[in-house]
Amino acid sequence: MVDGQQRTIIGVMPKSFRHPYRASLWLPLALPAADVATANNHYLYGVGRLRPGVTAAQAEAAVRRMCAAINQSNPNPANPRAAYLPRLRESFVMDLRPKILVIIGAAFCAFLIAAANFAGLLLSRVVEREGEFALRTALGATRRRIVRQELVQALLLAVIGTAFGLLLALWATPALVAMSPEGADATGSAMREFDYTARLDLPVFAFAAGVMALTGLGFGLLPAARASRVDLRGAMSIVSRSATLNRSTRRLLGSFVIVELAIAAALLTASLTATQFFWKLLDEPWGFETKSRIAFNVTVPDQFFPTAKAKQNALDATLAQLRQLPGVTSATLTSPSPMNASWNLMPFNPESAPAPEPRGYYFAYSRIAAPGYFKSIDQPLLQGREFLESDGPDAPLVCVVSNSVARRFWPGQNPIGKRVKWGRLDGPRPWFTVVGVVGDMKAIADPQDGEVVGMIARPLIQMLEQGTAPLDDITFVVHASSKAVSEASIRTALARADVHLAVYNTVSLEDAAAQSRTTERFIFVLLSAFGLLGLLLAAVGLYGLLSLQVARRQREFGIRSAFGATAAQLIQLVAKQGARLLVAGFVAGALTTWAIFRLVQSQWAEMPTPNLFAWVGGGAVLAIAVAIACLLPARRASRVDPIVVLRCE
């Protein structure tokens, strides 16, 4: 039984298929001819399959020609002018694409730091074993054999690291997916309707293993080539650990560290910027109270409520039952949900203001509200009044606008009594008189909507009589002062009001507010994790370089100590080298960060540019990590005993 009608099941879809809107039941599309002729709402979602050889642009042009023919035969201003035809797969990731690119970019930066660290490690081992390679060459080893041996070693290390990494991924991926926007139906995107979700499977493992194998071979090639070109005479003379690194080796190893520090600086700056952006989103007020508010949806089908009066009676009875529940302070209803203001856009023109061309109207977020709605959700009333029970179908058409609309079109004037036109100035839709101004509310907007001036609310009773109230998305909001109100008690109250009303999407507004920023929170967590990982890897790389140099400069430090150098002077000598690498890395990282943010902002306009706090904070954190990495090698240099070193000569 569906909406009181008996229907026969003719097919069963796979469990993973729930398109569109995470559906679990599909009905044939059947619109009565009278509704098609008189309807003003032309919103309809569908999926079309392109014929072979037909592009999306050609299909969209064909739809435009079809709409033009319809308008030529029937010049109705309410007729659609065109249809928007995005590719289905692209429509899933349209809003997520720039955010996905940010995550991929951060992961790639961490990968580059690890690869540079890997190459630096292998090169350090080659430098340490130059005497061995010289001896092998003297005994007849060919360059090919030495290169092959080093590449096999690099590949083996990459395989071991990949195995540990995949085990770590098996442990971490479920937690990351649960934290991501794909983790739950309440926040999941349309990709979940086709069972597209993050999972570790054979293609993922194969891709990771292939990339790491290429990394091991590619970044191991330079150390292997260096090992095969060891100068026999020079290497045989520096077998002892008392020989210092030559200038070219120091520059090569230092360049790896500079690259690591530069990328780590970019990651840290991006992480701090993302942190500021995320906290700004959380601190931005919604414009109404979310605490102790429970929201749920109800559909009022025409089969059971054929007239506007029947619908109104059902909704009034539901409100009356909800207000009688223990612990309920108030109950109201609206459409759409307070958290989803961007779902409904209202084209309008304000009185005494020129219509924008060529579109002919402005956009505002549309809201249908019951009397007392703004008081119930504690959205401040700045001027005028709320909707009253007297704003019925026979009363003048009224509306309440947000403060941004009033400031935009009537600056320095009293907006009460002004009028707004629904739709185009030459269209058949009516004028509404402004009776109140409320505070602005935060809206999670669709970037394709363009400029949306603010919010315009209209009374539910008047919109019911016009047949334009979206009763497929009525949202009740219950202000409950205690936890006595549950989903079960709400269902019981609706059953007492009318047995044909069903509850779905029950959620507290506090939870809905937290879920609304799941994507941004996920990006913040990943950027922070990649930033910390990059910082750790860069510090390890710097520590390895300085440790190698201190080990190779023990003779120099011993002689300096014998000639009167203090421990503080030796520590300062090592610290200066770390500071030079830090400055070079941070400068390169600043340029890299600037270029990355310019690229990201071209795709994601909301992302702010790093401010002074991000630059200073990133530099300070990097400096602390460098200081810690320099500490142990510097202390080791200060403890060199000149007697022990010179005795070895």
Side-chain angles (χ1 to χ4, degrees):
M1 297 294 293
V2 180
D3 285 341
Q5 295 182 357
Q6 186 173 5
R7 292 179 178 267
T8 302
I9 297 174
I10 61 171
V12 178
M13 296 302 296
K15 183 180 180 180
S16 59
F17 180 82
R18 299 181 297 167
H19 185 74
Y21 312 123
R22 298 188 290 277
S24 57
L25 184 146
W26 295 262
L27 302 178
L29 178 63
L31 298 178
D35 289 351
V36 175
T38 59
N40 288 321
N41 184 3
H42 291 277
Y43 174 79
L44 184 66
Y45 173 83
V47 178
R49 184 177 180 181
L50 297 179
R51 294 176 181 172
V54 177
T55 65
Q58 292 172 333
E60 192 159 2
V63 171
R64 284 199 300 269
R65 291 193 299 270
M66 179 182 68
C67 292
I70 293 174
N71 284 278
Q72 185 175 5
S73 61
N74 178 24
N76 186 344
N79 282 343
R81 296 296 185 268
Y84 176 53
L85 272 68
R87 289 190 176 275
L88 185 61
R89 182 182 295 274
E90 291 179 359
S91 69
F92 293 162
V93 297
M94 193 177 300
D95 299 337
L96 292 177
R97 180 177 286 111
K99 302 170 185 179
I100 292 174
L101 291 177
V102 169
I103 297 175
I104 293 175
F108 184 68
C109 287
F111 166 75
L112 285 181
I113 295 176
N117 225 336
F118 180 69
L121 168 67
L122 294 180
L123 188 60
S124 299
R125 289 175 58 84
V126 167
V127 171
E128 284 288 292
R129 298 168 60 195
E130 280 186 341
E132 174 193 339
F133 291 130
L135 191 58
R136 287 174 177 269
T137 303
L139 294 177
T142 62
R143 285 189 175 184
R144 178 179 298 179
R145 182 170 183 176
I146 293 177
V147 169
R148 184 172 64 246
Q149 176 186 340
E150 292 304 300
L151 287 180
V152 169
Q153 178 185 357
L155 185 59
L156 181 61
L157 290 174
V159 169
I160 296 174
T162 302
F164 279 105
L166 293 179
L167 291 176
L168 180 63
L170 284 173
W171 171 76
T173 298
L176 289 176
V177 171
M179 190 186 306
S180 73
E182 301 298 318
D185 273 359
T187 57
S189 69
M191 286 187 288
R192 290 182 60 85
E193 298 170 359
F194 293 92
D195 198 28
Y196 290 162
T197 186
R199 58 169 58 90
L200 292 177
D201 50 19
L202 184 59
V204 174
F205 285 129
F207 175 78
V211 169
M212 295 312 299
L214 292 176
T215 301
L217 293 175
F219 283 85
L221 189 60
L222 179 61
R226 171 65 182 264
S228 67
R229 292 198 299 266
V230 172
D231 179 63
L232 184 59
R233 180 178 299 178
M236 295 296 289
S237 65
I238 61 169
V239 174
S240 72
R241 295 180 59 87
S242 62
T244 59
L245 299 176
N246 57 47
R247 178 175 297 181
S248 63
T249 302
R250 288 200 305 270
R251 286 180 176 176
L252 184 59
L253 289 172
S255 65
F256 284 129
V257 175
I258 290 175
V259 169
E260 295 177 33
L261 292 176
I263 300 176
L267 280 176
L268 286 173
T269 306
S271 299
L272 290 175
T273 304
T275 302
Q276 290 178 293
F277 176 59
F278 178 69
W279 286 115
K280 179 183 177 182
L281 289 178
L282 291 184
D283 292 339
E284 184 179 358
W286 282 93
F288 54 87
E289 184 58 61
T290 60
K291 186 177 181 180
S292 302
R293 266 75 174 181
I294 300 173
F296 59 90
N297 292 92
V298 169
T299 296
V300 187
D302 291 337
Q303 292 92 328
F304 305 117
F305 309 97
T307 65
K309 186 63 176 176
K311 293 179 173 65
Q312 184 63 45
N313 290 339
L315 296 175
D316 289 342
T318 302
L319 288 174
Q321 291 294 333
L322 291 173
R323 290 163 182 164
Q324 294 176 9
L325 292 177
V328 172
T329 304
S330 65
T332 186
L333 63 87
T334 184
S335 179
S337 168
M339 295 296 178
N340 298 317
S342 63
W343 277 14
N344 285 12
L345 291 180
M346 173 183 174
F348 78 99
N349 275 285
E351 190 174 31
S352 303
E357 296 298 338
R359 189 168 60 187
Y361 48 79
Y362 298 92
F363 267 136
Y365 294 124
S366 174
R367 180 158 301 285
I368 309 298
Y373 165 76
F374 296 105
K375 181 180 179 180
S376 181
I377 66 170
D378 203 14
Q379 188 169 352
L381 181 65
L382 305 180
Q383 289 179 269
R385 64 172 177 85
E386 275 205 65
F387 298 137
L388 305 175
E389 297 292 344
S390 58
D391 294 322
D394 299 327
L397 298 180
V398 296
C399 67
V400 172
V401 301
S402 63
N403 193 31
S404 56
V405 175
R407 291 196 315 267
R408 171 74 175 271
F409 298 108
W410 306 293
Q413 305 177 46
N414 183 6
I416 306 302
K418 302 291 186 181
R419 298 192 306 164
V420 294
K421 170 76 171 181
W422 182 12
R424 297 174 59 92
L425 289 173
D426 58 354
R429 289 171 172 170
W431 288 86
F432 289 80
T433 302
V434 177
V435 296
V437 179
V438 295
D440 290 323
M441 59 182 292
K442 179 167 65 173
I444 304 175
D446 189 328
Q448 295 185 14
D449 291 341
E451 182 192 23
V452 181
V453 179
M455 183 272 298
I456 298 178
R458 292 161 291 173
L460 174 67
I461 302 176
Q462 294 184 350
M463 302 309 292
L464 279 175
E465 285 296 325
Q466 293 189 3
T468 54
L471 293 180
D472 57 342
D473 187 33
I474 286 291
T475 300
F476 284 86
V477 181
V478 178
H479 181 194
S481 58
S482 67
K483 295 184 178 180
V485 178
S486 63
E487 185 173 353
S489 62
I490 291 174
R491 290 184 182 277
T492 302
L494 260 71
R496 290 196 298 265
D498 196 294
V499 295
H500 296 114
L501 296 178
V503 178
Y504 63 100
N505 291 344
T506 303
V507 66
S508 73
L509 291 189
E510 283 186 291
D511 292 341
Q515 292 171 357
S516 67
R517 291 305 182 187
T518 304
T519 302
E520 286 77 8
R521 182 173 66 246
F522 186 58
I523 293 175
F524 160 72
V525 170
L526 286 184
L527 275 181
S528 301
F530 285 130
L532 292 176
L533 177 62
L535 180 67
L536 177 63
L537 292 175
V540 169
L542 178 62
Y543 167 78
L545 171 64
L546 295 180
S547 295
L548 174 64
Q549 294 203 8
V550 167
R552 298 300 293 266
R553 296 172 67 185
Q554 285 192 9
R555 179 174 177 272
E556 173 193 343
F557 292 146
I559 294 175
R560 286 177 180 270
S561 180
F563 277 97
T566 63
Q569 290 174 328
L570 295 178
I571 291 176
Q572 188 179 13
L573 186 66
V574 177
K576 280 184 178 180
Q577 183 178 4
R580 286 195 297 268
L581 293 173
L582 171 63
V583 171
F586 190 77
V587 170
L591 296 175
T592 303
T593 304
W594 177 81
I596 290 175
F597 269 86
R598 289 294 298 271
L599 177 63
V600 171
Q601 287 172 338
S602 65
Q603 302 290 326
W604 188 8
E606 293 182 4
M607 177 59 69
T609 303
N611 55 17
L612 182 62
F613 171 78
W615 291 115
V616 174
V621 173
L622 193 64
I624 293 173
V626 169
I628 295 174
C630 294
L631 181 62
L632 291 179
R635 291 183 61 186
R636 191 178 302 125
S638 68
R639 294 175 180 176
V640 173
D641 189 347
I643 297 177
V644 175
V645 173
L646 295 177
R647 184 182 297 156
C648 297
E649 294 297 317

